[in-house]
Amino acid sequence: MLSRTADHLYWMARSTERAENMARLLDASYQMSMVPQALAAQNENWRAILALNSQEEAFAQVYDEVNAENVLRFTVADAANPSSIFSCLRAARENAHAVRGTLTAEMWESVNATWIELREQNVEQVLARGVSEFFEWVKLRSAVIRGVTFGTMLRDDALHFIRLGGLLERGDNTARILDMQYHVLRDGDEGASDFYRWGALLRSLSAFQVYRKVYRDAITPARVAELLILRMDLPRSLHSCADGIVRMLPLIANSASAETQRQAGVLHAKLHFGRIEDVLAGGLHEYLTDFMDRIYELGEGISRDFLMPA
């Protein structure tokens, strides 16, 4: 496969996944903001979203105050923000258009229809009726694109690069969501509001019902971390994403990719044989930061080995 084609497929998948995960992160923060709390604390949580995505400086150039409405405008609909949902879905459509002949007709129509529907939505209306409905739409459209991809694409290198891009982006964003929310929630007060916040975090990663099925009792910080990090059977866990990456890389391997495969194997082994007691003892933030650094290095390796040169 031409590196140019692989590059477009890979970034199409990453952009789509990034839009979905931004919607998940914002929805979790929005739901938690409904719990009674001081305005300063609420705004600090919104500030954490900007910090987590290294967007504080770009945000400050547009808005004077960090609050829910401004952060939502910036991360949902700002065309100048490359990480906004609008920009991510636009980038996904542009990358898909560049390799339209490689995609099935159904897949192209799904990506294109998502972009057309997004352009027709007015940010004022979205904010007025509550953003959760919009976030559910983003997650649904991402799921449709993913389903059509697996349901219609040939199991060849094109699908492998799509899958690889999605897994890298998903793992990185799960780590970011957990890192941002975990310490705030862990230090919260016990009670109904605390349960609501933990539930919102788990729902943002489609893991609430899974948690109930696996643990069958009260939600605890350690078990939430274990579920989202070490359970390989949870699709959005770090372990599951690393497992998928390790399985995808040999399918597209070339003479230059041995080191990237080795790094992926090391990351997978760390998660496969890890114990939550050791993760928490060493510091969850430090563990997640290390994971995000390793995912970044894997992305750099994949770009170097397979994709268009920078």
Side-chain angles (χ1 to χ4, degrees), residues 170-304:
R170 179 180 295 181
D172 180 69
N173 281 276
T174 294
R176 289 176 186 275
I177 293 173
L178 181 58
D179 190 34
M180 191 192 83
Q181 303 289 2
Y182 182 86
H183 292 289
V184 174
L185 292 172
R186 184 195 60 181
D187 298 333
D189 298 327
E190 296 291 335
S193 65
D194 196 49
F195 174 84
Y196 178 82
R197 290 167 181 258
W198 283 113
L201 170 60
L202 289 169
R203 286 188 180 92
S204 73
L205 293 166
S206 300
F208 183 79
Q209 290 177 296
V210 174
Y211 184 98
R212 286 302 196 196
K213 183 176 182 180
V214 172
Y215 297 110
R216 300 180 182 275
D217 57 9
I219 300 175
T220 66
R223 286 178 174 173
V224 169
E226 181 180 52
L227 181 71
L228 298 178
I229 295 173
L230 300 179
R231 292 284 305 201
M232 192 175 71
D233 48 357
L234 179 70
R236 292 190 171 274
S237 75
L238 307 190
H239 190 180
S240 177
C241 292
D243 183 72
I245 292 168
V246 164
R247 287 187 288 108
M248 286 298 109
L249 282 173
L251 300 178
I252 57 172
N254 59 29
S255 59
S257 63
E259 176 59 20
T260 300
Q261 289 181 258
R262 187 193 70 81
Q263 291 178 2
V266 170
L267 177 59
H268 179 252
K270 182 179 180 181
L271 290 158
H272 187 74
F273 297 104
R275 298 187 307 171
I276 194 59
E277 295 84 2
D278 297 331
V279 172
L280 297 178
L284 183 68
H285 174 70
E286 290 73 16
Y287 186 94
L288 294 173
T289 299
D290 178 70
F291 176 87
M292 288 185 279
D293 288 342
R294 289 174 183 264
I295 284 290
Y296 177 80
E297 291 171 3
L298 279 177
E300 290 290 292
I302 289 167
S303 295
R304 180 183 62 248

